[in-house]
Structure formats: C-alpha cells, structure tokens
Amino acid sequence: MAKPKNRGYLFFLPVALFVLQGCLTTISSVRQARELFKVGDYDQAREVLSRAAAENPKNAEIKTLLFRAQLNSYQTHLFLARAKRKSGDRPAAVVEYRKALAIFPGNTQLQKEFADYVTPATAVKEEKFKPTVVPPVQLNVKKDEKVSLSLRNTPISNIFKSLGKSYNVNFIFDKDFRDFLYSIEIENTTFFEILKVLCMVSGSKYRVLDPATVIVFPDIFAKKKAFDLRGIKAFYLSNIKAEDARKMIQTVFRDEQLLIQEDVNLNVLVIRADYNSLVDIERFLTKIDKEKSEVELNIEILEINRSLINKLGADFGSGVFGVAAGGLDSDGKISSTINFNDLNSANFFLTIPSVAMNFLEGNSNNKILAKPNLRGIDGEEITFMVGDEVPVPETQFQAIAAGGINSSPVTTYRYRNVGVEIKITPFIHQNNEVTLKTKLTINFISSGASSSFPTFGKREIENKIRLKEGETNIIGGLLRDDVRGSLNGIPALARIPLLGKLFGNSEKNISQTDLIFSITPKIIRRTPISSQDNEVIWGGDDLPSATGGAIIPEEGGSEAEEETAPENQQPANDMVSISPSQASIPINSDTLFSLRIHSDTQLASLSLSGALSGGNCEIVEVKTDSLNEKEVKILKNISGNSFDMGLSFTTNSVQTLAAAFIQLKIKFMSKGKYILNIGDINAYDNKRNKVEIAGASCPIDVY
C-alpha cells in the first residue's frame, strides 16, 4: 500500500515544481518592473510585463502594471516628440511620434497630429465677400473689354455718348444736366472706370434704366431724391443684438440717408438705402456679427473648518445649596422649630447638588470641497454661490386701527445669503489669454443666537487678473478665527487656581475657517477673425455698379463663378504626396515613408503602384493601420522593391483620405542614390468617371 502512495507523490512533485517556478517567475517580473519604474525605463518595463502577461493572462496585478507602463511610455514619447518638434529636430520628432503610435495605434487624435506634422494640410482659402444685394436692372457690359478715348475740347455729353457707342449703351441726360467742353485721354480702361471719371468731372450721377440705357443727372439732393434707386433689405443677425447693431450703423453711416427699423423678437434690422449703402452695410455686418468667444472655468473651492472645544471642571447642574435643621418629631420628620436650649440634641442636614466632573476635549476637522466647471461667454457675468440662506427678523410697528398710533409690532423675515459667492466676468483675447474680473465674497455669522439678532461678518476680494489658457491662479489665506469662553461655578471659589475646577466649569470654543480658491481658464471657442475682417470698407462710388448698375460677365456668369473650376476639370490638389519629400538615411536601416492621397472628389475606387530604383533595397511592409476597414477595403501586394495596392471605398472617401495615410517600411542594403516613384494611379468616382490624380517621387540618398 505504501508503494502507490509514493508513486502519487512522485506524480504531483513535477506539477508542484512547475507551479512554483511560475510563481517565482511572476514575482521576479513584477519586482524587475517596479525597479525599472523607479529609474524611468518604461519601455523596458513594458517589455518585461508584456512577457509576464503572456505567461499569466489572468494575473490582475501584471495587467495593471502593464497598463501603467504603457501609459507612462506613451506620455514620455509624446512629450519628447512635441519637444523635438518645437526645437525643429524633425527626424527625432518623427521617431518619437512613431514610438507613441506603436503603443496605442488606435489613437486617432495622435494619428491626425502626426499626419498633419508629416504632411501639413493645405491652408484653407478664405472665401471672398459676396454681396447678396443685387440691383433689379443690370447693364449688359463685358467686364474685361477695355477701350481708349482721346477727345479734345469736346462737349462732355458727347464723351458720354462716345463711351456708350463702344459698349452699345445709350446715354440720356436730365434737363438740368450742365454741358461743357472737356478733353480726355484714357487708354485700355474698362467701361465703369471711365464712367466713374466722367461722373466725377461733370458733378453728376447715373442710374441704369434697362440693360442698354443709362440716365445721367446732376449730383444734387433734389435730383438724387428723384432718381436714386433705393431698396429695402432685412438683415437677420445671428450673434449681435439688433439694437446694438442699429446704434453702430447709425453712427458709422450717419452721412447716408438711411431709414432703419429693428425687430427685437426676430433680431432683424430692416434698412432702406441705396445700392452702395446696402452693400457697405452688409459688408460691415459680416465683420461685427461674429459669435462671441466662450471660456470654461475650472474652479476649486476648498473650505477647511477646524474647531477645538475644551471643557474642564465640576458641573453643579441647576441645583442650589440647602440647609435643614431641627429635631425629630413623633413621625420621624425634622421639625423646623429650633429650641436653642436643645441645640445639643438638634440634627443638622446640608444638601449639596450632584457634582459631575467633566474632562472633555473635542477636536473636529471638516473639509468642504466644491469643484464646479463654469462655462461663460465673453463679457458676460458668471455667478456661483455656495452656502445657506439665514432668516433675519425685521420688526415694524403698525397701527391697530386706521388713524391710530403705530404701536403694534409686526415681524417679518428676510433671508440673507451666508457662504461663498463668486462673480466672474471673462474677457477673451485673440492671443490665447483671458482677463478675469473676479469678485469673491465670504459672508458668515460672527455672533448671535436663536433668541437674539445675528451679527454678520464679511470678507471680500475684487480684482482683475490676466491668465494664459491653462494657467492657474490661487487665492488663499482667507482665515477667520472665532474664540468664545465661559466660566460657570460657585462665585469666588471657581476662580481659585487649580482647586477652582472642583467648584466650577470652564469652557473654551475655538473655530477657525480657511478658504482656498483656484481658477483655471480654458478657451472653448474664439471669435473667428479673418484677414478680410481687417480690410477697410471704402465708401463712395468705388463699386462698379453705382446707383443700380452691375456688371454681367460674359456668357451670363458672375465674378464668383469665374473662380470656380469647370465641372469637367479636376481640382489642382488631386495628387499623391510622399513624406519626407527627400531623405538622407544610413545603410541597413528600416525607414518609414508616408503616403497621403489628396482628392476633393468622392471616389469609389483607387489603385496605385510604387517602385524603388537605384540599388539594392527592399520594401519590407506596407502599413494601412490608419485606414478603417469599415470604410475602405484594402488589397495590397509586395514584390521586392515594388508594391501594388487597391482601395475600394464604402463611405465618404474625401473624409477618409483626409485623415488617413499609408506607410512604407523600406530597407536599403547598399549605398547610393534611390528614387521612390508612385504612379499608375487609376481612380474612379461613384459614376464610374475617371479621376486624374497626379503621382509623386522622392529622391533618397543612402550613406
């Protein structure tokens, strides 16, 4: 029977040794990782813990330490990447970015930051101001057609007519138009430029009657009132109040003959003016009707209360000393009658109340922490209150009957805030700084009881501070000390040093309050200011369509349409870019090159190929981690120093390509000059129309 037992022990012995070895390995890995944490080598700690986690996938301690190592390593590499980027060390910054992405490859925000750094996005072109005010009648004049006039001692009316013949425009004149002789020499000038000069010389204005007729009249108030074309337009405002906009317009355009009416409910301005004034007002409103900046204030209010109560001595309660004297009567009670002859037989009784010796010391600490996040608009006050409302009695005397004397007291209660009140008005600047007008008020009850009127205390700080975004300002040291003491006991005896505690009770109450206030601003939205907002609005007849005239470009187009490419012409930024655009790298090193596809067209499919020429090299890997498999299907093939790739898009390809990039991992085995070419690009939109996308090349010097 002993033999099988020994065999059982021999069977379980290897298993026990294996389990023991695993435990020792886990303990060794954890100990080694903690030592690496102390020296800041998070990358090595991550490798050690990764191996330990693979061997012990259910160990919670190893998982926690591994996540800490990954997070610390990620933050270290990201900090180094941004520091290298700031110092201008581009290769080192790229290496650190890639190390950070290798830890958390699914971090889309970091992918976008890295992609924008490797291949900076093209600056967004600002849209030019396009007035919506269109006159009802427009001249059919070719805007690019220029003429030359050379006339001497010619009536000014004939000069107008000569200009009209060149553009097939008929000029008619008011009966009060003053004609005179004038000489003019102009070369290669457009219609409206010449018309403007003639009107300035003759002291007149014009109005377009139909696409081929213009009337010219003297520039006097009566004629302008009769001939000027005036329109009514409603300007719906999104941000600024209609009342404020009306005041500004009336001040800025007070020389114009404007009629303005506001509607507070719709926040709209209704303006009646001529064409040029309406265009200027519309341009002016686009500059001032901007959304206000917003800021988020992270506030921490820490109130620390410390109270200390000392109570020491004899508490005699509410009893008094009592004396009873006399003899015993037949019932066994003390007789209150004392016979001085019987003093020897009299009994005396002294009554003392119960004595409680209290030795009490109390100490309490309270911390009230308020941590609000307040969001406010530029220039608007933010109010925050933490505390209570305390009723304060107010007594007034009134007459019992009409005409009587005010002798009847009437008590009412008014509630008053007690606590911490904060009022902040932020002013946001364009240089990422915030000015805060702060008012910090502390209201507290300094004395008083339920049967008497309370006395309120107040501490207040009001100042202005200017902080950078993310900078923290701290206000502390607002201390308040309340000390109260009392002594109860037998008169005179209670005040005897040391022994007085036997005949009385002393109490001391100390209360101390400290308040710490910190504030950190974070700008959420800034008022958008473009370069056009800084441009000057020039008044007068600078526009080419004075008093109702407007240019109609050739073939019925408009100025805005001229800048738009035809439908069958692809945008100029449909291309492939390689980052870096040129490189100098050491031999036998794995180098990453990023490809980005730029296209404003909604693509359905895209195929491309790339090849390296110039020496002994190999394309090791084509990484497409930044492409979402739900948005695009990927096919790729690598063959030595060349590769092929096909992309099929299931969603919006414009957004997908803008946020994605392809990485080529290439190894160079010999020195020399190489060229990476990306070509054979075939792209089609959703209608199966071919889209032309330009290729790219990158020179590489291997040393």
Side-chain angles (χ1 to χ4, degrees), residues 234-273:
F235 295 93
Y236 291 89
L237 306 176
S238 301
N239 302 287
I240 191 173
K241 293 182 180 179
E243 180 182 1
D244 297 335
R246 176 184 60 81
K247 294 177 181 178
M248 296 178 67
I249 291 174
Q250 286 179 338
T251 302
V252 175
F253 297 91
R254 62 181 178 181
D255 294 336
E256 309 293 334
Q257 299 177 12
L258 304 179
L259 296 178
I260 305 178
Q261 183 62 44
E262 65 188 50
D263 188 333
V264 179
N265 296 325
L266 297 178
N267 199 37
V268 63
L269 284 180
V270 181
I271 302 177
R272 183 175 186 270

Side-chain angles (χ1 to χ4, degrees), residues 279-342:
V279 173
D280 290 343
I281 291 172
E282 185 178 20
R283 187 189 298 269
F284 177 72
L285 288 176
T286 58
K287 295 179 182 293
I288 64 173
D289 189 23
K290 302 282 189 181
E291 59 185 19
K292 286 189 175 182
S293 301
E294 288 189 62
V295 65
E296 181 181 7
L297 302 176
N298 298 326
I299 299 176
E300 292 186 4
I301 306 171
L302 179 63
E303 185 179 5
I304 303 175
N305 296 329
R306 182 176 181 274
S307 60
L308 180 65
I309 302 173
N310 291 328
K311 189 175 182 181
L312 181 64
D315 187 0
F316 291 95
S318 58
V320 296
F321 286 93
V323 177
L328 294 176
D329 57 12
S330 60
D331 296 333
K333 296 181 180 180
I334 299 174
S335 176
S336 58
T337 304
I338 300 175
N339 189 346
F340 287 96
N341 296 324
D342 299 329

Side-chain angles (χ1 to χ4, degrees), residues 219 398 473 557:
D219 187 7
Q398 297 180 358
N473 181 72

Side-chain angles (χ1 to χ4, degrees), residues 196-208:
K196 177 183 176 181
V197 172
L198 294 178
C199 287
M200 292 178 64
V201 170
S202 61
S204 59
K205 297 189 70 175
Y206 70 92
R207 174 179 173 179
V208 178

Side-chain angles (χ1 to χ4, degrees), residues 436-455:
L436 299 176
K437 181 181 179 182
T438 61
K439 184 177 182 181
L440 176 62
T441 305
I442 306 172
N443 296 308
F444 55 91
I445 300 177
S446 60
S447 63
S450 58
S451 60
S452 61
F453 293 96
T455 302

Side-chain angles (χ1 to χ4, degrees), residues 31 106 132 164 219 225 277 302 362 391 439 457 477 490 616 662-663 677:
R31 185 183 297 112
T132 60
D219 187 7
K225 186 176 181 180
S277 297
L302 179 63
K439 184 177 182 181
I490 301 174
N616 187 13
I662 303 167
Q663 285 187 324
N677 290 306

